[in-house]
Amino acid sequence: LEFRHRRVESADTASRATDLAVVGTVPHVPGKIGRTAAAKRAYWQSVLTESMASTQTFLQHGDGVDAPRVLLVTSAEGGEGKTSVATQL
């Protein structure tokens, strides 16, 4: 990863640049879903729930390799939910 590029475009990019495995990602949820958009809120809640569940399953059962001993939860900015994600895992 070159220093002039200040953005990681995908989990694959981060994995290749650091030579570390990415065990899960949390999708970006649009900030303005709207008060009357119950179906949209339910959809995004299910996407987040599935993302967390698949990451938890991987961490518990792995893919035939040793479980990671160190886990890094990171984001681009403060207030994006790193602590909430870490406590759920």
Side-chain angles (χ1 to χ4, degrees):
L1 199 60
E2 295 182 26
F3 286 108
R4 68 176 179 212
H5 293 173
R6 305 296 286 174
R7 183 177 178 136
V8 176
E9 297 294 333
S10 69
D12 290 336
T13 303
S15 182
R16 282 193 307 272
T18 61
D19 199 29
L20 298 171
V22 174
V23 298
T25 61
V26 177
H28 173 74
V29 177
K32 295 184 179 183
I33 295 176
R35 285 182 274 192
T36 60
K40 285 183 182 178
R41 278 195 303 279
Y43 168 77
W44 282 108
Q45 183 61 44
S46 69
V47 169
L48 287 171
T49 300
E50 179 61 28
S51 173
M52 292 301 294
S54 64
T55 303
Q56 288 170 334
T57 300
F58 178 83
L59 290 172
Q60 290 173 348
H61 304 290
D63 62 351
V65 298
D66 292 334
R69 296 185 313 176
V70 176
L71 183 65
L72 171 68
V73 177
T74 189
S75 68
E77 297 180 13
E80 292 186 329
K82 293 178 291 294
T83 301
S84 296
V85 169
T87 58
Q88 292 297 313
L89 297 175

